[in-house]
Amino acid sequence: VPPPAVPPRSVTAVVGLLVFFEVMSGFLQVGLAPLLPDLADHLGIGSADLNWVVSVQLLAAAVCVPLFGRLGDLYGHRRMLRIALALIAAGTVVVALAPNYEVLLLGRLLQGPIAALLPLEIALVRDRLPVADARRAIARLVGALTLGAMAGGVVMGLVDSAFGDLRLTLLVPAVLAVVCVPVSFIAVPESEGRVGGRVDWAGVTLLSAAMLSLLGGVGGAEGGSWLTAGVVGPILLGAVLLAVWVLVELRSAEPLVDVRALADRRTAPFYAAAFLFGVFFFGSQAPNSTFYAADPEVTGYGFGLSALAISLVLLPASVGSVIGSLGTAAVARRIGYRPTLMGAFGLVALSFLQFAVLHGSVGQMAAGSAFLGLGIGLALGAMPTVIVEATEPARTGIAAALYNNVKTLGGAVAGGVFASVLGAFTGSATGEPSEGGYVAVWVVG
């Protein structure tokens, strides 16, 4: 049964409000990056442990995206959108007021549903609008996410420079997130379609436990020792739980994740690429910020930059990403989507190699960031298309969701891996990673 017609004004209002949520989402996801060094100093966190601030949120997101999507199908996408916004608001307030590292991680965990906002909004748009209008609306939502991400780092840097108080600065995104909750009760219609079935709670539980165990094991290797019981035990347990999860998903009539699609020989290499993309895309954020902020007189490297200066140095990467994502279609028309994706990964690899070799000046790092952003933008634009085109037409929706899940899982793993790499190079005098630790991270990237 087709959904009832919606007056144009209501459609415009709905898309406008959803765009506001996506601006907030992008703002929150990128706005914290330049503040990470100040946050580490404020709470007494080491540079290696700081990676977990990023990783914990991505771990929660990896579970929340499929879970909230399924709950939205069963109980309504608007309802789950409101719940997601409420959890994000609560988490952002906790992050702003966190008195210690553990509470900060709790706040980041509560922010996990931020990755579920866009899929829920896309489901709402598809349900309420004709195909052509829905495509334009989705393009606006993705554009709003990018715009919010570009603004987030610069605005937070400016606010931090003006206030000079980290807590007041962090309350700015908290207020923005809290405002989104009552706004979500204004003129956003519920999706009409409902599906039968149930939630794969066994899959949710096993995937969460496996990821926690694996990341806990990797995190235990921060000192560079991988052959201790505290490292090997959790990693083996995580591997066993992951294997059990795969078996449960294969036997489930309504699995949390379509494991068979991941194993399809036509698409498996692209999902592997998406996982690795998540590793270097999310994993490089915290190390780069702490490198920029490091005092060269104490550590022997870095530039001693403030949050505002870091946000300005990171800006070329955001601009490059926008240019790359907007230019993907034009490049792909000339050479094809697969060569575009391969070229994007090549550009990313060269950028990380440049970081490893040339990192003695802010100009060198900013130039490398611009090319890194360009490669990431091209990859973000090309990867979903390549995956969808390698998938059977009837399974394109599942393929797009799996791509997002796998990419987020890569990001969750990245925090633990890069924390371990940096921890292995920690100097005894300063307690901070040596320059070699950052070079190792860039080489891994």
Side-chain angles (χ1 to χ4, degrees):
V1 179
V6 182
R9 286 187 179 180
S10 297
V11 169
T12 302
V14 169
V15 173
L17 291 173
L18 298 182
V19 162
F20 176 64
F21 301 151
E22 279 310 303
V23 170
M24 179 275 296
S25 174
F27 192 97
L28 261 64
Q29 290 183 59
V30 176
L32 188 65
L35 299 175
L36 286 173
D38 289 347
L39 196 60
D41 292 339
H42 179 69
L43 297 179
I45 306 169
S47 295
D49 289 334
L50 199 60
N51 289 275
W52 289 101
V53 177
V54 176
S55 191
V56 162
Q57 190 267 329
L58 291 168
L59 170 63
V63 177
C64 285
V65 170
L67 176 60
F68 274 65
R70 182 60 178 158
L71 290 171
D73 292 339
L74 293 172
Y75 304 112
H77 299 99
R78 181 183 66 178
R79 177 179 296 178
M80 296 313 302
L81 180 68
R82 290 171 175 172
I83 293 172
L85 288 170
L87 289 171
I88 294 164
T92 309
V93 171
V94 170
V95 167
L97 302 177
N100 54 50
Y101 182 49
E102 291 73 21
V103 175
L104 173 67
L105 293 182
L106 173 62
R108 293 290 286 168
L109 198 68
L110 288 171
Q111 289 180 324
I114 199 167
L117 292 182
L118 186 59
L120 290 170
E121 291 159 358
I122 289 174
L124 275 171
V125 164
R126 283 177 172 169
D127 184 78
R128 305 299 299 193
L129 297 176
V131 174
D133 290 341
R135 287 174 178 170
R136 285 195 291 270
I138 292 169
R140 287 190 201 175
L141 292 174
V142 174
L145 177 64
T146 307
L147 178 64
M150 281 188 63
V154 176
V155 171
M156 291 295 283
L158 288 170
V159 171
D160 182 67
S161 179
F163 288 171
D165 187 299
L166 182 62
R167 286 201 186 279
L168 287 177
T169 303
L170 290 173
L171 282 173
V172 171
V175 170
L176 183 61
V178 169
V179 167
C180 284
V181 178
V183 168
S184 69
F185 285 82
I186 303 172
V188 177
E190 182 59 278
S191 51
E192 296 289 333
R194 290 288 186 280
V195 298
R198 60 182 181 81
V199 177
D200 178 19
W201 290 112
V204 172
T205 304
L206 284 168
L207 179 61
S208 303
M211 290 300 299
L212 282 172
S213 186
L214 287 170
L215 293 178
V218 172
E222 286 181 11
S225 178
W226 284 85
L227 299 178
T228 62
V231 174
V232 176
I235 288 177
L236 287 177
L237 176 62
V240 170
L241 289 173
L242 205 57
V244 174
W245 172 75
V246 169
L247 292 175
V248 169
E249 296 301 278
L250 287 173
R251 294 177 180 179
S252 175
E254 300 173 70
L256 178 72
V257 175
D258 189 349
V259 176
R260 286 186 177 85
L262 287 175
D264 189 308
R265 64 183 181 83
R266 293 169 297 179
T267 54
F270 301 120
Y271 285 122
F275 178 85
L276 294 172
F277 176 88
V279 172
F280 67 70
F281 175 56
F282 294 109
S284 63
Q285 293 178 6
N288 280 13
S289 293
T290 54
F291 184 87
Y292 288 133
D295 185 348
E297 294 184 3
V298 176
T299 60
Y301 61 83
F303 313 107
L305 300 184
S306 65
L308 175 59
I310 292 173
S311 67
L312 293 175
V313 174
L314 293 175
L315 186 59
S318 298
V319 174
S321 181
V322 172
I323 293 172
S325 59
L326 292 177
T328 300
V331 175
R333 275 196 299 268
R334 289 181 173 272
I335 65 173
Y337 272 95
R338 291 191 187 195
T340 299
L341 184 59
M342 293 170 67
F345 284 141
L347 188 57
V348 168
L350 287 174
S351 300
F352 277 119
L353 183 61
Q354 188 232 290
F355 284 154
V357 177
L358 300 173
H359 49 263
S361 71
V362 174
Q364 290 173 345
M365 295 290 288
S369 293
F371 286 107
L372 177 65
L374 182 62
I376 284 173
L378 286 167
L380 284 171
M383 209 168 350
T385 300
V386 169
I387 289 174
V388 167
E389 287 182 353
T391 306
E392 297 175 12
R395 304 178 69 84
T396 55
I398 295 172
L402 278 176
Y403 155 67
N404 194 55
N405 294 343
V406 169
K407 182 180 68 175
T408 306
L409 279 172
V413 170
V417 170
F418 286 164
S420 177
V421 171
L422 287 177
F425 287 84
T426 299
S428 57
T430 63
E432 289 295 313
S434 67
E435 185 176 353
Y438 289 95
V439 172
V441 164
W442 291 323
V443 169
V444 169

